[in-house]
Amino acid sequence: MSNPYAEIFRAPGAKGFSAAGFLARLPIAMAPIGIVAMLSQTHGEYWLAGAVSATFALTNALISPHVSRMVDRLGQTAVVVPTTTVSVFAFFALIAAANQNWPDWTLFVTAFLAAAMPSMPALLRARWTEIFRDRPELNTAFAFESSADELVYIAGASLSVGLGVALFPEAGMLASTIFLALGTLAFIVQRSTEPRLRHTDVEVSQGSAIRLRAVQIITLALVFVGSTFATAEVSAVAITKELGQPNAATIVIGVYAIGSFVLGLILGAFNPTMPLHRQMFIAVSALAITSWPLLMAATVPLLALTVFVSGIAISPTFITAFGLIERRVPASMLTEGVTWVTTGIGIGMALGAFVAGWVVDSFGAENGFWVSVVASAATVAIIGLGQRSLAGTTAECPVDPLAQPAE
């Protein structure tokens, strides 16, 4: 049996843009938790750290779909170069503001400007689509990207926290900014794989991808999934610090990735035949069930074990979510459609970081994981109620976001 992943990387340029893209998207995960790790050490207040992180993540989540719509209309190079330049300089200013103890308002302003960062996961999927459009290899490429996204969200966060704790408070954010600059530059100079522009009547008539019912459901669900990520990260930092082992936060967050990443690659290689909407419901149900043991993590080893178990369901959730989006969004709107999913994750991480930080400050580090329990339960409810729409049994056409579901 041939390796399906080896097959997709035989395409000209695939290895190059994929490697560059992986580096460039590390800041998606490194920046939000890196801001928390940096400011909690330099300013000593979790609420401030969570609020600044939320400002960046929430603004980026709201801006990214509009940036991606511009990419669909103007091309990757024309949009990515200026937006990334703004983001890189703003990140450097944020690091300086933290290091030099500038007024608190400068932290929020620089975090807001740094949010111009484009959605690299969407740009990568658009390139894979350009290479394998209407070919079976495209499904394998999407599965690889979903697993890579999961690894970025978990391993990137671990790297950011580890650098900030082991070296100096700004180390994680400094590394994140360098990855963004160098990775994006390496990605954008590879013009041979850049998607050609497609301006179709379908795209014009349907408007924004968020008007599609499936996109609305999955985006909302991923808001709560993103909250579980941020909660695990903030709570892990707070609990390990309270237990007198702050360096252990790197290990605790890192184990999130191990089982989930491997399971994601297996699912991508074997391509289960169960309908994606049912796979996603099972995945989010597992996420909800495994969040409860997190409340009993009173030692670092137990914390690492419960976080590992909780992380198993993450990659399947990602794979099925992106798979459903890619089947429900027109090809000419793919960049924006995928971006709405990452928008949901970004909003969730922003809100999760803020709420978890407030809970930790107000009720103690051991209670931070209650945010994960509530968020994962909400995800199950959303996906469960949306099964009919996700299955494609309702009309797949643009709808008003405020309209009532089809009966």
Side-chain angles (χ1 to χ4, degrees), residues 26-37 53 56 91 94 117 156-157 160 172-173 176:
L26 279 171
I28 296 174
M30 292 184 70
I33 190 62
I35 293 172
V36 172
S53 177
F56 163 75
F91 273 132
L94 174 60
M117 185 176 72
S160 185
M173 283 303 301
S176 173

Side-chain angles (χ1 to χ4, degrees), residues 25 28 119-123 125 138-139 141-150 153 214-215 218-219 222 229 276 280 314-329 334-345:
R25 65 180 158 183
I28 296 174
S119 174
M120 188 56 62
L123 300 176
R125 284 175 172 80
L138 184 59
N139 290 331
F142 284 154
F144 170 80
E145 287 302 322
S146 294
S147 293
D149 284 337
E150 184 271 335
Y153 274 109
V215 178
I218 295 174
T219 298
L222 268 291
F229 299 161
L276 281 174
M280 187 169 187
I314 294 175
S315 190
T317 300
F318 271 4
I319 291 173
T320 52
F322 282 112
L324 284 166
I325 287 292
E326 286 142 9
R327 285 163 175 75
R328 299 291 179 262
V329 175
L334 180 62
T335 308
E336 183 194 356
V338 172
T339 302
W340 277 111
V341 177
T342 58
T343 289
I345 298 171

Side-chain angles (χ1 to χ4, degrees), residues 67-362:
V67 173
S68 292
R69 288 191 74 184
M70 292 172 61
V71 169
D72 284 331
R73 298 176 188 277
L74 303 176
Q76 292 187 352
T77 300
V79 177
V80 171
V81 171
T83 54
T84 302
T85 300
V86 170
S87 184
V88 167
F89 279 102
F91 273 132
F92 279 129
L94 174 60
I95 294 170
N99 180 265
Q100 299 299 314
N101 200 28
W102 292 354
D104 288 351
W105 65 265
T106 62
L107 301 174
F108 290 95
V109 170
T110 52
F112 178 84
L113 295 175
M117 185 176 72
S119 174
M120 188 56 62
L123 300 176
L124 283 159
R125 284 175 172 80
R127 292 207 177 197
W128 284 118
T129 302
E130 188 72 10
I131 296 174
F132 295 124
R133 189 179 302 277
D134 299 324
R135 292 168 57 185
E137 292 90 341
L138 184 59
N139 290 331
T140 301
F142 284 154
F144 170 80
E145 287 302 322
S146 294
S147 293
D149 284 337
E150 184 271 335
L151 182 61
V152 163
Y153 274 109
I154 307 305
S158 177
L159 176 62
S160 185
V161 172
L163 291 173
V165 172
L167 299 180
F168 50 90
E170 302 86 2
M173 283 303 301
L174 182 61
S176 173
T177 305
I178 293 173
F179 290 155
L180 175 62
L182 297 182
T184 303
L185 176 62
F187 178 83
I188 213 66
V189 297
Q190 300 181 58
R191 300 297 297 277
S192 63
T193 53
E194 181 174 348
R196 61 187 177 87
L197 297 179
R198 285 180 169 82
H199 298 296
T200 66
D201 293 338
V202 172
E203 179 184 358
V204 174
S205 64
Q206 292 197 351
S208 174
I210 196 60
R211 291 175 63 83
L212 295 170
R213 179 71 70 194
V215 178
Q216 296 171 2
I217 293 170
I218 295 174
T219 298
L220 180 60
L222 268 291
V223 168
F224 291 98
V225 174
S227 296
T228 67
F229 299 161
T231 300
E233 293 161 1
V234 172
S235 296
V237 171
I239 290 176
T240 53
K241 182 178 180 180
E242 188 174 87
L243 293 173
Q245 302 179 60
N247 290 336
T250 303
I251 299 174
V252 172
I253 297 175
V255 298
Y256 229 164
I258 300 173
S260 186
F261 179 64
V262 173
L263 181 59
L265 291 178
I266 292 173
L267 289 175
F270 286 93
N271 200 8
T273 58
M274 181 185 294
L276 281 174
H277 64 285
R278 294 180 184 174
Q279 290 185 46
M280 187 169 187
F281 182 73
I282 292 173
V284 297
S285 296
L287 187 65
I289 293 171
T290 56
S291 68
W292 282 95
L294 294 169
L295 300 173
M296 298 178 287
T299 65
V300 171
L302 185 57
L303 178 63
L305 176 61
T306 54
V307 165
F308 170 81
V309 173
S310 179
I312 292 294
I314 294 175
S315 190
T317 300
F318 271 4
I319 291 173
T320 52
F322 282 112
L324 284 166
I325 287 292
E326 286 142 9
R327 285 163 175 75
R328 299 291 179 262
V329 175
S332 59
M333 303 166 68
L334 180 62
T335 308
E336 183 194 356
V338 172
T339 302
W340 277 111
V341 177
T342 58
T343 289
I345 298 171
I347 292 175
M349 292 185 72
L351 296 178
F354 179 75
V355 175
W358 176 78
V359 170
V360 167
D361 284 336
S362 302

